[in-house]
């Protein structure tokens, strides 16, 4: 729920705005597990505007920290006058992308709001503010929380093959809005897939037939305008990004600034799946021919 391009009828302190001079409003967040089931967030808020500090001390304003997880619909708000704030959240309530914004908000109606550090455009003016007006804000960079990360270590684990409820022949479909990348197959195709998916010797072939084209589609979607923004909070994107980090490669840079096609990116991510599939074909057929000769 970050604040972006919002218009205000009065000056607001933020690094993204020029309403104030010689004033700082900043916040840092650190988080760690606290026991087995809880995540502890610690916020350190920096604010050096003396008149806003006075409003907080006199009870006219307060610090507000809003935490939100779109994946689980969890949200909470912390109200405090201290610039050191902590919040413990059950790990079961959050998963994926966490968005945080730190604010200074009025606790009551404020008459004749003025500040000596406003830029020259506001000098000589005063404003009438209602309770809940935002005086300052800091958008915290999104935090990605993935539970049981080891479940997502391999490329295939971020995919889930599911059965489409149709008896008619239909093209394979790819679903990106869920925690895992969904690959939808018709009833007949799914029944054949289910017979062989647990057999290790067929994995390279199945991956090249289904996972590889699905991943090409994924990269094509991510390369579109706002593509990364649309999917950055999903578990599959976070896991894919972390897999790239382990190789010392930034996924976003690969998508936006390299000249590699989606086909090339998909092959690299899966460590040349077509090569592995063709070798497996050769092994299977050569073994079969040798048994017939005997």
């Amino acid at each position: 729920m970050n604040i972006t391009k919002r218009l205000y009828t009065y000056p607001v302190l933020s690094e993204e705005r020029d309403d104030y001079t010689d004033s700082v409003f900043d916040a840092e967040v650190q988080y760690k597990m606290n026991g087995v089931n809880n995540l502890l967030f610690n916020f350190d808020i920096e604010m050096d505007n003396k008149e806003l500090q006075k409003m907080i001390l006199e009870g006219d304003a307060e610090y507000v920290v809003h935490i939100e997880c779109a994946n689980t619909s969890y949200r909470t708000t912390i109200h405090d006058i201290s610039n050191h704030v902590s919040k413990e959240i059950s790990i079961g309530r959050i998963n994926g992308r966490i968005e945080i914004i730190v604010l200074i908000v009025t606790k009551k109606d404020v008459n004749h709001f003025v500040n000596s550090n406003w830029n020259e455009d506001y000098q000589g003016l005063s404003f009438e503010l209602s309770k809940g007006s935002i005086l300052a804000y800091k958008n915290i960079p999104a935090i990605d929380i993935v539970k049981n990360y080891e479940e997502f270590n391999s490329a295939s684990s971020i995919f889930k093959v599911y059965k489409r409820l149709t008896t008619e022949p239909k093209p394979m479909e790819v679903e990106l809005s869920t925690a895992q990348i969904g690959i939808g197959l018709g009833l007949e195709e799914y029944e054949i897939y289910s017979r062989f998916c647990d057999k290790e010797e067929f994995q390279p072939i199945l991956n090249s037939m289904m996972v590889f084209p699905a991943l090409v589609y994924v990269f094509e979607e991510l390369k579109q305008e706002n593509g990364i923004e649309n999917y950055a909070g999903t578990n599959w994107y976070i896991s894919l990004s972390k897999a790239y980090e382990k190789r010392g490669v930034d996924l976003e840079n690969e998508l936006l600034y390299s000249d590699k096609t989606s086909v090339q990116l998909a092959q690299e991510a899966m460590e040349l799946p077509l090569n592995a599939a063709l070798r497996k074909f050769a092994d299977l057929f050569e073994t079969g021919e040798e048994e017939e000769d005997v």
Side-chain angles (χ1 to χ4, degrees):
M1 73 146 276
N2 287 352
I3 293 177
T4 57
K5 300 180 181 179
R6 184 180 298 183
L7 298 177
Y8 294 90
T9 58
Y10 57 90
V12 174
L13 177 57
S14 171
E15 63 185 1
E16 301 173 10
R17 305 172 63 91
D18 60 0
D19 298 346
Y20 282 74
T21 61
D22 301 322
S23 296
V24 173
F25 181 64
D26 199 3
E28 293 185 357
V29 58
Q30 296 181 335
Y31 60 95
K32 63 180 180 179
M33 289 299 299
N34 189 30
V36 178
N37 299 314
N38 297 306
L39 199 62
L40 179 64
F41 289 85
N42 291 308
F43 300 91
D44 290 316
I45 303 170
E46 178 186 1
M47 199 273 290
D48 64 357
N49 186 280
K50 292 183 179 179
E51 284 148 287
L52 292 180
Q53 289 175 341
K54 182 180 179 182
M55 291 181 67
I56 293 172
L57 292 174
E58 292 181 350
D60 295 326
E62 64 183 347
Y63 295 116
V64 174
V65 180
H66 181 87
I67 305 172
E68 185 171 324
C69 177
N71 283 352
T72 62
S73 299
Y74 172 81
R75 61 184 64 185
T76 188
T77 303
I78 311 164
H79 300 261
D80 212 310
I81 62 171
S82 171
N83 59 351
H84 300 290
V85 181
S86 297
K87 177 66 176 180
E88 189 173 84
I89 301 175
S90 169
I91 196 67
R93 303 292 303 277
I94 55 178
N95 192 29
R97 171 152 293 198
I98 309 297
E99 292 187 341
I100 301 172
I101 185 167
V102 181
L103 311 146
I104 300 176
V105 176
T106 58
K107 296 178 66 176
K108 59 182 73 172
D109 294 344
V110 176
N111 298 318
H112 306 296
F113 174 55
V114 295
N115 197 290
S116 60
N117 288 103
W118 288 343
N119 73 33
E120 58 184 14
D121 294 337
Y122 297 102
Q123 294 301 323
L125 300 177
S126 66
F127 298 87
E128 307 299 311
L129 303 182
S130 59
K131 179 181 177 179
S133 296
I134 295 174
L135 302 179
Y137 70 86
K138 166 71 177 184
N139 289 319
I140 303 294
I143 298 172
D144 293 322
I145 305 294
V146 177
K147 297 177 288 184
N148 299 326
Y149 171 66
E150 292 304 316
E151 295 177 1
F152 296 92
N153 275 345
S154 64
S156 60
S157 66
I158 66 173
F159 291 86
K160 180 179 181 179
V161 180
Y162 63 90
K163 185 192 310 182
R164 298 179 64 186
L165 300 180
T166 174
T167 56
E168 298 178 4
K170 294 283 186 179
M172 180 184 82
E173 67 177 15
V174 181
E175 173 59 54
L176 302 183
S177 62
T178 52
Q180 292 174 286
I181 299 167
I183 299 176
L185 302 178
L187 291 177
E188 182 178 355
E189 293 85 354
Y190 184 85
E191 292 301 326
I192 296 172
Y193 165 79
S194 63
R195 285 161 49 194
F196 298 99
C197 64
D198 292 330
K199 299 182 184 296
E200 185 176 351
E201 63 268 28
F202 293 110
Q203 286 302 310
I205 298 171
L206 293 174
N207 285 343
S208 68
M209 292 173 62
M210 296 187 301
V211 175
F212 173 60
L215 195 54
V216 172
Y217 173 78
V218 168
F219 285 133
E220 279 296 306
E221 286 295 296
L222 293 174
K223 282 173 170 283
Q224 302 303 311
E225 184 177 359
N226 299 324
I228 295 176
E229 181 180 342
N230 290 339
Y231 299 109
T234 60
N235 280 350
W236 63 258
Y237 180 88
I238 296 167
S239 302
L240 196 60
S241 180
K242 289 183 180 295
Y244 268 75
E245 285 180 15
K246 286 189 173 184
R247 294 160 48 195
V249 179
D250 183 271
L251 176 57
E252 186 171 337
N253 286 340
E254 283 285 275
L255 291 167
L256 299 181
Y257 305 114
S258 78
D259 57 0
K260 297 175 183 176
T261 66
S262 297
V263 173
Q264 290 173 304
L265 290 171
Q267 290 185 82
E268 290 178 357
M270 295 182 64
E271 299 179 350
L272 305 178
L274 298 182
N275 294 21
L278 291 172
R279 286 196 300 270
K280 183 54 65 175
F281 264 123
D283 291 343
L284 291 173
F285 282 104
E286 287 172 359
T287 301
E289 290 175 353
E290 289 175 0
E291 289 177 353
E292 290 178 2
D293 290 341
V294 174

